Amino acid sequence: MRVFVTGASGWIGSAVVPELLAAGHGVAGLARSDASAQALQDAGAEVVRGTLDDLDTLRGAAAASDGVVHLAFKHDVAFSGGFAEASGADRAAAEAMAGALAGTGRPFVLASGLLGLAPGRVGTERDFPEPSGSPMHGRVATARRVLDLAETGVRTSVLRLPPTVHGAGDNGFIAAYVAASRAAGLAGHVGDARWPAVHRDDAARLFVLALEKAPAGSVLHAVQDEGVQFREVAEAVGKSLELPVVDLAPEEAAAHYTWLAPLIATDSAASSAFTRAEFSWEPTGPTLLDDLVAGRYSG
Ligand SMILES: NC(=O)c1ccc[n+]([C@@H]2O[C@H](COP(=O)([O-])OP(=O)(O)OC[C@H]3O[C@@H](n4cnc5c(N)ncnc54)[C@H](OP(=O)(O)O)[C@@H]3O)[C@@H](O)[C@H]2O)c1
């Protein structure tokens, strides 16, 4: 297939591109800067210049492809107070690209998230929280919309990612947690919250399987660890940085971890049993605790 990939230069995209190429696909990646375009060329991909707001560019690139993997997200906007704006742009981009594939039966794979899927229990691929007024739920609404677009003759699927897609070079939530812990002089957790986790390379392999095999309207979970106790994350970080491990009340967590505090307090265990069974996907990468103990976040 010739696959159009948005976010191809990002943390997960830069692992998905080589997986696609190794599987014999051609890749055209969206790039909004010279640096991203160069990185894509170096990886062996074609470049489509444009941004998530260039809906005509996205439509054209999707129409010229045999399938789309949509990974780009305006994290810069989202994490500076513009989450609703970022998820609105994500939805418009997804609708434009999936719309360009209508009636073709070609695949459209949307990256989405697992945080807060089913607090207090282990969420599954069959769970779908009702969209609420929270800006975070804009992404849930987008995922629902993308699955509904299966009715228009697009083989849509949603691949939900754990809040930590970890590995060497990760600058995501765990890296932010380590930096905030250093600054606070403690490694905090909030009660018994759990996070699912997956290694980046395992997530990348699942994107390829979703593109190749996911039936229209599927939800997949890229989960290796169902629920790592955040206390264990704090203990590993505390040990490597020689910081005390502290069970924090939510208001104490907010003082030390600001925007990250509600995320580390959200109990979000999730399974991938249906995904593993349907796609014969078995994660093999190091676990989150392996990566922490190996010092991949404390260098
Ligand atoms: N990493 C995780 O742990 C995690 C967890 C849950 C869900 N997810 C989701 O998985 C997807 C990929 O995440 P990631 O960690 O790979 O993100 P990332 O490293 O921040 O990469 C984001 C990608 O989107 C591109 N992008 C951002 N704004 C854009 C714009 N306005 N126009 C065009 N491209 C734009 C970036 O391009 P540049 O290279 O030019 O900046 C980059 O390629 C996202 O939907 C994310 O929310 C990730």
Side-chain angles (χ1 to χ4, degrees), residues 117-132:
L117 176 65
R121 64 179 174 83
V122 179
T124 79
E125 293 87 335
R126 309 277 157 88
D127 281 307
F128 230 112
E130 281 305 314
S132 70

Side-chain angles (χ1 to χ4, degrees), residues 1 11 34-35 49 51 55 57 83 99 115 132 139 145 148 151 158 166 174 199 259 270:
M1 284 186 226
W11 166 241
D34 291 344
R49 284 302 292 254
T51 77
L55 299 184
T57 302
F83 205 96
L115 195 71
S132 70
R139 296 199 78 173
R145 174 80 179 125
D148 287 347
E151 289 172 9
V158 170
H166 56 87
I174 292 293
H199 190 275
W259 60 271

Side-chain angles (χ1 to χ4, degrees), residues 65-132:
S65 75
D66 300 305
V68 174
V69 177
H70 176 39
L71 289 157
F73 192 78
K74 295 184 180 184
H75 290 131
D76 46 355
V77 175
F79 292 110
S80 50
F83 205 96
E85 180 191 337
S87 52
D90 182 47
R91 181 164 173 162
E95 285 180 336
M97 291 184 280
L101 297 176
T104 64
R106 292 178 188 161
F108 177 87
V109 185
L110 173 78
S112 192
L114 278 167
L115 195 71
L117 176 65
R121 64 179 174 83
V122 179
T124 79
E125 293 87 335
R126 309 277 157 88
D127 281 307
F128 230 112
E130 281 305 314
S132 70

Side-chain angles (χ1 to χ4, degrees), residues 142-200:
T142 301
R144 265 193 188 278
R145 174 80 179 125
V146 162
L147 295 180
D148 287 347
L149 288 172
E151 289 172 9
T152 66
V154 189
R155 187 159 61 79
T156 58
S157 60
V158 170
L159 197 158
R160 291 181 184 148
L161 295 154
T164 174
V165 179
H166 56 87
D170 175 21
N171 276 317
F173 291 152
I174 292 293
Y177 171 77
V178 170
S181 296
R182 255 189 233 277
L186 57 83
H189 64 95
V190 182
D192 292 323
R194 296 162 296 172
W195 270 18
V198 73
H199 190 275
R200 178 174 74 141

